[in-house]
Amino acid sequence: MIIVVSLMLTIAIFVGCYMQKPQFGKLPSGKRLERIEKSPNYHNGRFHNRVEKPTITEGYSMAGEIYKTIFGKKTRLKPVDSLPSKKINLNKLDRNENVLVWFGHSSVFIQIGGKRLLVDPVFSGKASPLPWGIKAYKGSDVYEMEDIPEIDYLLISHDHYDHLDYETVLALKNKIKYVVCGLGVGAHFEDWGYAPNQILEKDWYDKVDVADGFIIHTETSQHDSGRGFKRGRSLWLSFLIESPTLKIYVSGDGGYDQRFKEIGKKYGPINWAIMENGQYNKAWQSVHNLSEQVDKANLELNAQNLLTVHHSKFTLGRHPWDEPLRQISLLSENKPYRLATPMIGELVNLDNPDQKFEKWWEKIN
């Protein structure tokens, strides 16, 4: 018993010391916490979803899911081959062009209305605070932090490691004009050396006035947050980017709920939807969409074009790595929206409805 207790105490001390490293960020305090406590979405010491749902779906258990993750059958969780990709010089893009580049997982560069935005960038090659943690697939990291131009607005949907990457935002600090994030997430950025006036922390149903006719709306999601053992201390968001000529919805992470129908009615028609589709499981569909829910949500958004993300870079779920693309390709057939499936790094022209995309994943083992 003494040996067991000593071992557990040693592990606890090691974990506690390791979690003091800067990549874990900071919890909100002081005036930031006072502002958070005034939010209608914050009570009992944390943020809550509009409709509370258990993370694990009824009929499943956390213990069972952990067992399946460790001992269950694993089929094609990551590609054997290197992923195909393209690389363009982002610095030489004409500012007047409305374009998009997907970097794998949920990292997206968007240039519209003369502004440059970067969503949930992860360029460190991993989705974990641990050096031996979840690694990017071969071929998925063709862009490096040095390739990113000056960014007007960095959009962070929530503070999980596969969306808010310490090494990336630290390296990009001098290229970022403003950060748009949920309440509480700014504590991480301030701890990492960002100036308070750079950090625009927003609640649901808030907005950032970018320019005449250009607004970034912060909308809801059905998810969670946290970089340590304390959950829900910062807010998770989706975004509706409204430029003078285009409307782009960025879902962030989150399970299916009524927000898609509400957002479609509020802002529709929407030109482009960038939707999470990957790292899902029926056991945790309350916080991550299944592919059939992505299709349904996009129809409710009344989005003309769909680009799915949260796949093709990291293995965080138990499905085959290419299943999200295969599923949404089938589901989108004969639907009133167009599915865009660019390779990582491929330039997407947001104003060209005739641009063609390959089913590039079909050639990869």
Side-chain angles (χ1 to χ4, degrees):
M1 180 62 72
I2 293 173
I3 294 173
V4 172
V5 171
S6 298
L7 181 61
M8 292 177 65
L9 183 60
T10 301
I11 293 172
I13 292 171
F14 172 79
V15 170
C17 291
Y18 191 83
M19 290 187 66
Q20 298 308 306
K21 287 180 173 289
Q23 59 261 43
F24 291 93
K26 291 289 185 182
L27 292 173
S29 60
K31 291 185 178 179
R32 176 174 277 111
L33 182 57
E34 289 176 11
R35 183 187 172 200
I36 285 171
E37 289 172 339
K38 294 176 183 177
S39 169
N41 306 304
Y42 186 92
H43 53 89
N44 297 327
R46 61 158 293 158
F47 284 101
H48 293 262
N49 288 302
R50 295 189 305 170
V51 178
E52 290 297 330
K53 300 177 183 178
T55 300
I56 299 297
T57 306
E58 186 177 352
Y60 298 85
S61 70
M62 182 64 76
E65 292 310 302
I66 292 173
Y67 180 87
K68 291 174 188 175
T69 298
I70 298 172
F71 301 108
K73 184 179 180 181
K74 299 174 177 66
T75 305
R76 301 181 65 251
L77 295 187
K78 61 181 181 180
V80 175
D81 301 334
S82 180
L83 298 187
S85 60
K86 296 185 178 181
K87 188 173 182 179
I88 61 168
N89 189 331
L90 299 175
N91 286 284
K92 291 189 176 180
L93 289 174
D94 183 343
R95 278 265 189 173
N96 295 315
E97 288 185 302
N98 295 323
V99 295
L100 172 155
V101 175
W102 171 59
F103 302 112
H105 202 61
S106 297
S107 305
V108 183
F109 170 86
I110 302 170
Q111 180 178 278
I112 55 171
K115 301 295 182 183
R116 287 174 170 169
L117 297 86
L118 186 61
V119 181
D120 292 350
V122 178
F123 296 112
S124 67
K126 56 188 176 66
S128 166
L130 304 174
W132 59 85
I134 301 157
K135 302 291 186 181
Y137 301 156
K138 291 182 294 183
S140 67
D141 256 347
V142 290
Y143 284 83
E144 299 177 356
M145 302 175 204
E146 294 77 17
D147 299 318
I148 304 303
E150 290 189 356
I151 298 296
D152 296 297
Y153 292 89
L154 172 64
L155 308 186
I156 300 295
S157 64
H158 63 297
D159 71 357
H160 286 162
Y161 298 105
D162 58 321
H163 294 260
L164 175 55
D165 181 60
Y166 166 71
E167 293 177 29
T168 299
V169 299
L170 202 66
L172 294 178
K173 183 168 60 175
N174 294 330
K175 295 183 177 183
I176 305 297
K177 189 177 291 184
Y178 295 107
V179 178
V180 184
C181 57
L183 292 173
V185 177
H188 303 310
F189 280 92
E190 201 164 327
D191 184 57
W192 298 335
Y194 279 69
N197 62 359
Q198 283 182 276
I199 305 166
L200 309 177
E201 289 177 84
K202 298 297 178 179
D203 207 338
W204 292 336
Y205 315 119
D206 213 336
K207 66 178 181 177
V208 175
D209 291 311
V210 174
D212 288 343
F214 199 136
I215 301 170
I216 299 172
H217 302 271
T218 54
E219 286 288 337
T220 68
S221 185
Q222 178 77 29
H223 202 54
D224 202 351
S225 66
R227 295 174 76 83
F229 297 116
K230 295 182 179 180
R231 317 301 295 172
R233 300 301 181 91
S234 61
L235 188 61
W236 44 99
L237 303 174
S238 63
F239 300 96
L240 192 289
I241 304 164
E242 183 178 12
S243 80
T245 59
L246 288 172
K247 294 177 186 175
I248 301 175
Y249 176 68
V250 180
S251 74
D253 280 5
Y256 177 83
D257 67 4
Q258 292 302 304
R259 71 184 180 281
F260 302 109
K261 191 176 294 184
E262 294 167 1
I263 290 169
K265 289 180 179 178
K266 187 175 180 180
Y267 300 105
I270 293 169
N271 302 99
W272 283 83
I274 301 172
M275 294 284 291
E276 177 210 24
N277 176 37
Q279 321 318 317
Y280 49 66
N281 189 309
K282 288 185 178 180
W284 58 75
Q285 61 182 293
S286 66
V287 291
H288 287 290
N289 283 321
L290 304 175
S291 293
E292 55 265 34
Q293 293 170 325
V294 174
D295 171 58
K296 181 179 180 182
N298 197 63
L299 292 170
E300 293 178 346
L301 285 167
N302 193 19
Q304 297 161 355
N305 301 277
L306 171 64
L307 170 72
T308 70
V309 298
H310 213 242
H311 56 75
S312 303
K313 190 162 189 171
F314 304 113
T315 295
L316 300 168
R318 295 201 305 269
H319 57 70
W321 75 270
D322 57 351
E323 182 183 284
L325 286 164
R326 288 190 284 107
Q327 293 273 38
I328 198 63
S329 293
L330 291 172
L331 290 163
S332 64
E333 290 180 1
N334 302 314
K335 296 295 172 65
Y337 63 84
R338 179 182 65 145
L339 178 67
T341 58
M343 295 181 197
I344 290 172
E346 184 176 355
L347 190 69
V348 177
N349 187 327
L350 298 173
D351 294 325
N352 182 5
D354 298 319
Q355 184 176 1
K356 304 298 182 184
F357 301 97
E358 296 179 43
K359 292 187 177 182
W360 55 266
W361 59 93
E362 294 183 343
K363 304 173 185 177
I364 308 301
N365 292 315

